[in-house]
């Protein structure tokens, strides 16, 4: 392998890792919902973006609960043709942050002069988002986010969830909500914060070092797919959902026509056919306690396409089967709020395409991610979280490559193992319900398969420990 | 002339029948809307049939219809100003019309209230004493004089039996601080100390 191709591969890995990190930092809180409902944030959130039972029910009902004066249209049969808020449900969110790594990463711009990249990254802004979040029509609502991120310096599509929902009253006055969600990130439509898209950490640095491995449902395909799912929510307790996703690439063009499609071999990791998604959960509420247990899964076959070099979108695929369990407990008092959230995602991979191409060592691998977070707030004003995270799996030097000669490491794995473990501690001050100041520390005991010299170039897991200070507001 | 009178009489009768039918239709549609709201929106916090499990949100089952309608009007007019009223109910009631507010009152009045809940016997006994006889030295009148001997309320006086003690306590605090603009209760609550409020709250929560 030439030095040039090694460098190319290194940077491709870096791009993949940073793309993954880019997903993790996205989390939302939307004052347009407060404007639309006339209710303070506390009705739907403990502290944003974590949802209360009322917030979950509002979401399941399609974001349509509206207490504003409406512009209305009806026909002669009194059927509603238009029911539109006079105030459009628009919101803006901004994040400004400061990131300090325990040890700076190497500066590889000039191989002849070794040095370090500057530590202490100021992100101003890290992210600014524009939302349309609220009712469109009587049973139709949307949560659509456009985001400017400073790393790409472009405005792009972020999370989106369009919903149709209606409610049927069963005998004994039990509710049955049924609906459809058209969304672009598996689990973004979910009601609980124990699943990946709106899980902890709700905000994370985009100037830190991301690990190599993540399961497919854990944000890997976010904003790159579109899925239609159907759900039932019975008596505000039992939730069941089923649907399927297909690739919906952003920024992809057909090499022949120059149009936005059809997707061709210049795109990478394209879903073959449809990728089924399922979810089941049960929530029990009593007194000030709310507990949820659930499971969810995703099965996706990916055509590698241009993962290494342009390849036609046909032939062998890399197949991923994700099955996950989750748990959430909330205590909602007037003074004290406590939440515990946990999930375990297990993924089996059959890497037929990559194995045939000699890009991975094993035909089959597995990967398991566990996350658990406890959060406490006093009067919704001062609080903090303590979280544990772990991703472990089979060793594959092709999938989690080590450094080649001259590589600066950092995003490599000397052992070929994906194991990354650590904890996150965060303190928050929320002077107003839509303004949050956070200080977060992430500590790693393992990173990309090792504790010491994990990258094969002498970097330790703890060198990636990160201080992150954040100002986060939405209006 | 008689013929004309017949015509006029028939028109008046038909009109009256039509008016009555329209009123019934409106009442029926308000009632259906109220049921839909109670199950699909209000019930999320106030519980199925208004028997809330969460002490933050009051139990509404069996409440007097006039009281519920009056509170909804106060939320809509933004004159009831305790913190949860502002945070939750000002918005919730913002778009309700008079017919639906009345129908919501009727819906909850028709629901079977949950049974009273046990608590600290000594606290409940102290609460019973205050509820039935007031505190003369502090010029606190007997609660029962307005809210009824069984805390069943009546008219604009709310039913208190079975209500969450935590909710009752918060309301007494709000009356004391004048966050709820109710002259009678502002006066009554002035003389109550916190342990006395706790006792009364525990007593009414225990009533069936």
């Amino acid at each position: 392998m030439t030095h040039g191709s090694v460098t190319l591969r290194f940077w491709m890995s870096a791009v993949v890792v940073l793309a993954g990190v880019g997903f993790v930092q996205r989390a939302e809180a939307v004052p347009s919902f407060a404007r639309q409902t006339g209710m303070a944030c506390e009705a739907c959130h403990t502290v944003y973006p974590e949802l209360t039972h009322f917030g979950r029910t509002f979401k399941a009902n399609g974001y349509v609960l509206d207490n504003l004066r409406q512009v209305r249209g009806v026909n002669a049969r009194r059927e509603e043709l238009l029911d539109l808020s006079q105030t459009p449900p628009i919101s803006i969110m901004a994040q400004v942050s400061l990131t300090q790594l325990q040890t700076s990463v190497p500066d590889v711009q000039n191989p002849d002069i070794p040095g370090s990249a500057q530590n202490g990254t100021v992100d101003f802004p890290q992210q600014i988002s524009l939302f349309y979040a609220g009712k469109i029509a009587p049973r139709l609502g949307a949560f659509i986010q456009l985001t400017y991120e400073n790393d790409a310096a472009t405005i792009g599509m972020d999370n989106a969830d369009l919903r149709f929902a209606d409610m049927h009253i069963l005998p004994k006055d039990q509710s049955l909500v049924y609906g459809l969600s058209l969304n672009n990130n598996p689990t973004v439509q979910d009601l609980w914060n124990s699943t990946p898209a709106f899980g902890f950490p709700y905000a994370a640095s985009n100037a830190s070092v991301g690990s190599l491995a993540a399961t497919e449902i854990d944000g890997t395909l976010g904003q790159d797919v579109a899925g239609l799912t159907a759900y039932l929510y019975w008596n505000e307790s039992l939730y069941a959902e089923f649907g399927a996703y297909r690739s919906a690439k952003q920024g992809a063009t057909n090499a022949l026509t120059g149009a936005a499609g059809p997707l061709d071999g210049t795109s990478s990791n394209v879903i073959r056919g449809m990728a089924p998604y399922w979810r089941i959960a049960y929530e029990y509420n009593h007194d000030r306690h709310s507990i949820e247990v659930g499971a969810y899964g995703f099965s996706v076959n990916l055509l590698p396409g241009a993962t290494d070099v342009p390849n036609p979108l046909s032939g062998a695929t890399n197949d991923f089967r994700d099955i996950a369990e989750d748990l959430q407990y909330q205590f909602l008092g007037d003074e004290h709020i406590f939440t515990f959230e946990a999930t375990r995602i297990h993924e089996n991979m059959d890497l037929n395409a990559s194995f045939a191409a000699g890009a991975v060592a094993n035909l089959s691998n597995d990967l398991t991610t566990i996350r658990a977070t406890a959060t406490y707030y006093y009067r919704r004003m001062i609080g903090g979280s303590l979280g544990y995270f772990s991703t472990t799996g089979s060793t594959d030097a092709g999938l989690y490559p080590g450094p080649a000669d001259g590589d600066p490491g950092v995003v490599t794995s000397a052992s070929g193992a994906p194991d990354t473990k650590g904890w996150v501690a965060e303190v928050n001050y929320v002077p107003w319900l839509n303004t949050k100041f956070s200080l977060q520390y992430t500590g790693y005991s393992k990173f990309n398969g090792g504790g010491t010299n994990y990258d094969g170039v002498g970097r330790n897991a703890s060198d990636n420990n990160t201080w992150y200070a954040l100002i986060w507001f939405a209006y | 002339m008689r013929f004309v009178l017949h015509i006029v009489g028939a028109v008046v009768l038909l009109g009256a029948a039509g008016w009555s039918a329209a009123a019934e239709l409106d009442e029926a549609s308000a009632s259906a809307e109220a049921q839909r709201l109670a199950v699909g929106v209000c019930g999320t916090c106030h519980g199925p049939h208004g028997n809330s499990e969460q002490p933050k949100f009051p139990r509404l089952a069996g409440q007097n219809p006039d009281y519920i309608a009056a509170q909804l009007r106060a939320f809509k007019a933004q004159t009831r100003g305790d913190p949860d009223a502002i945070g939750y109910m000002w918005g919730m009631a913002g778009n309700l019309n008079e017919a639906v507010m009345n129908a919501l009152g009727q819906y909850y009045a028709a629901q079977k209230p949950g049974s009273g809940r046990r608590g600290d016997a000594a606290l409940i006994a102290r609460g019973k004493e205050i509820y039935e006889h007031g505190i003369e030295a502090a010029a606190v009148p007997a609660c029962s004089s307005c809210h009824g001997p069984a805390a069943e309320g009546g008219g604009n006086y709310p039913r208190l039996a079975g209500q969450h003690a935590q909710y009752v306590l918060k309301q007494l605090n709000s009356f004391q601080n004048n966050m709820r603009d109710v002259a009678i209760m502002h006066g009554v609550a002035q003389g109550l100390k916190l342990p006395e409020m706790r006792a009364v709250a525990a007593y009414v929560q225990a009533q069936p």
Side-chain angles (χ1 to χ4, degrees), chain A residues 4 25 30 32 93 103 129 153 179 187 210 237 262 267-268 282 295 313 369 375 404 435 447:
Chain A
Q25 70 188 324
V30 199
S32 56
M93 180 189 95
T103 306
S129 292
T187 73
S237 55
S267 292
S268 60
Y282 183 77
L313 295 178
T369 291
T375 300
T435 307
F447 200 92

Side-chain angles (χ1 to χ4, degrees), chain A residues 52-54 56-57 192 233 235-237 282-292 330, chain B residues 44 53-54:
Chain A
T52 60
H53 175 72
F54 189 87
R56 290 189 278 279
T57 305
W192 292 271
Y233 187 35
N235 207 23
E236 297 181 10
S237 55
Y282 183 77
E283 178 178 300
Y284 174 72
N285 288 283
H286 177 71
D287 202 323
R288 283 166 279 190
H289 311 276
S290 171
I291 188 159
E292 176 264 346
Q330 284 181 321
Chain B
T44 302
E53 288 276 1
Q54 301 176 65

